[in-house]
Amino acid sequence: MARRIPRLETIEAFIEAARAPNFRIAAERCAISPAAFSRRIQAFAAFAGCDLFERTAQGMRLTDSGRACLAALEPTYLEMRRAALEIGLAARPAKVSISLSHSLAVGWLIPRLDRLRARHPQIDVVIRTDRTAAAVRAGDADLGVCAQDVDVSDLVAEHFLDMHIFPVACPAVGETFRAGAGLERLRLLAVIQHPDVWEWWSREVGQPMPGLRAAQTFDILQAMYEASAAGHGVSAASHVTVQPHLASGRLVELGLPAARYPGCYRLAATARRLQSPPVRAVWTWMREEAAADPAPSPELRSAA
């Protein structure tokens, strides 16, 4: 009589136990109780006919026999899991929610959504405008884009985008600047989180102007850009969020250098949410989009 192989969930339990730092985490990854997980490990050990793990001062670790089993099974298991997840992803629509600031949503994400739909037509994106990581922690958002000052210590997080700052204005104000009006003679705008950005920018680009101050501040970048587009002053623009205004011609560059602002944006999620194929697909797509986003040169920029 042919010997029956273990059920797939029993093999999965062994592989997760071998990969996880402890059995409790491995049980969570399998979405079962520790007791049920232990029974699966015992069932696989009985099939293998040998001890797969040994207890040490640092916890459970694989025996030589366990390592041999893992080497034989893991590649095939991972390939089966990848194929099954791709089938599931293609078979049904999915929603992935992204938490990010209003300015990033309007200036960076929304203009790129057509490319996401072309890559993953089965995924619908839900946008939450929140610059904190609260929605990600609470499970109300699958992914978050967080500024450097946001605490992401308990999340999976990685560098996403740098921020480069340079002056922009509406075409009429741009003409005034090119006619000889210096920045100190123009009305300068900034966001309320960085009211000293103009003096900082002038130092960074090697043209220090002590006392250079914003005449008006805004709580979001997009409001500042709209004020500039209406002719109310020169904005300290972030290259990450200002591109739609430049592409439309409502704002133009002044031919001045860009400076990299301290800190960055980070992409964040919980480890559990990243196990979802649609969430992982959007995470990967966002990383690729960010990598393809060219940073401005610190040299003098071409004035429009």
Side-chain angles (χ1 to χ4, degrees), residues 206-217:
Q207 302 175 22
M209 302 180 200
L212 202 64
R213 294 283 188 272
Q216 187 174 1
T217 58

Side-chain angles (χ1 to χ4, degrees), residues 1-301:
M1 181 177 178
R3 188 183 183 199
R4 297 188 64 180
I5 66 171
R7 296 172 66 89
L8 182 59
E9 58 262 30
T10 303
I11 296 174
E12 177 189 41
F14 164 68
I15 292 174
E16 291 297 343
R19 298 166 69 191
N22 56 59
F23 281 11
R24 179 185 60 80
I25 292 177
E28 290 178 357
R29 291 177 178 175
C30 292
I32 58 176
S33 70
F37 183 82
S38 180
R39 288 194 293 271
R40 290 185 184 180
I41 294 297
Q42 291 169 9
F44 187 76
F47 171 82
C50 58
D51 292 332
L52 301 173
F53 296 91
E54 59 184 352
R55 190 177 299 279
T56 70
Q58 291 74 40
M60 302 296 286
R61 73 177 183 184
L62 285 168
T63 63
D64 289 343
S65 297
R67 282 190 288 272
C69 286
L70 182 65
L73 291 171
E74 187 177 32
T76 301
Y77 166 76
L78 292 178
E79 181 59 25
M80 288 179 62
R81 186 174 185 273
R82 182 200 62 78
L85 291 175
E86 287 187 357
I87 291 170
L89 181 62
R92 60 185 182 275
K95 289 187 182 294
V96 174
S97 57
I98 304 174
S99 171
L100 71 174
S101 71
H102 176 276
S103 297
L104 273 173
V106 173
W108 191 88
L109 179 59
I110 291 174
R112 291 168 165 78
L113 286 181
D114 283 347
R115 294 205 285 270
L116 175 60
R117 293 191 187 99
R119 173 84 69 84
H120 299 293
Q122 74 283 2
I123 296 178
D124 291 329
V125 168
V126 178
I127 297 174
R128 294 179 58 95
T129 54
D130 179 4
R131 71 180 303 273
T132 75
V136 176
R137 286 194 181 91
D140 296 327
D142 298 303
L143 303 174
V145 181
C146 304
Q148 185 76 29
D149 60 347
V150 174
D151 178 21
V152 294
S153 57
D154 56 337
L155 302 172
V156 177
E158 64 179 47
H159 178 275
F160 183 54
L161 286 166
D162 290 322
M163 185 190 307
H164 297 260
I165 305 297
F166 54 88
V168 300
C170 70
V173 173
E175 288 297 329
T176 300
F177 173 78
R178 284 187 286 276
L183 285 178
E184 68 280 1
R185 296 174 56 191
L186 296 174
R187 196 164 186 271
L188 304 180
L189 310 180
V191 288
I192 199 168
Q193 297 93 335
H194 309 292
D196 59 347
V197 66
W198 282 106
E199 189 169 356
W200 166 85
W201 171 84
S202 70
R203 291 195 308 270
E204 289 294 306
V205 300
Q207 302 175 22
M209 302 180 200
L212 202 64
R213 294 283 188 272
Q216 187 174 1
T217 58
F218 300 82
D219 61 348
I220 58 174
L221 284 164
Q222 295 299 322
M224 178 182 68
Y225 297 154
E226 287 298 317
S228 278
H232 297 309
V234 180
S235 283
S238 162
H239 87 286
V240 176
T241 55
V242 77
Q243 295 306 319
H245 281 79
L246 295 177
S248 69
R250 298 181 65 213
L251 293 178
V252 297
E253 300 179 33
L254 302 186
L256 294 170
R260 182 183 179 278
Y261 201 78
C264 65
Y265 291 109
R266 291 174 292 183
L267 192 57
T270 64
R272 181 175 293 275
R273 286 296 174 91
L274 276 179
Q275 293 178 20
S276 162
V279 174
R280 192 73 199 182
V282 174
W283 174 286
T284 300
W285 173 82
M286 291 181 70
R287 289 172 55 192
E288 292 174 358
E289 286 289 317
D293 194 16
S297 167
E299 304 300 324
L300 287 175
R301 303 170 65 77

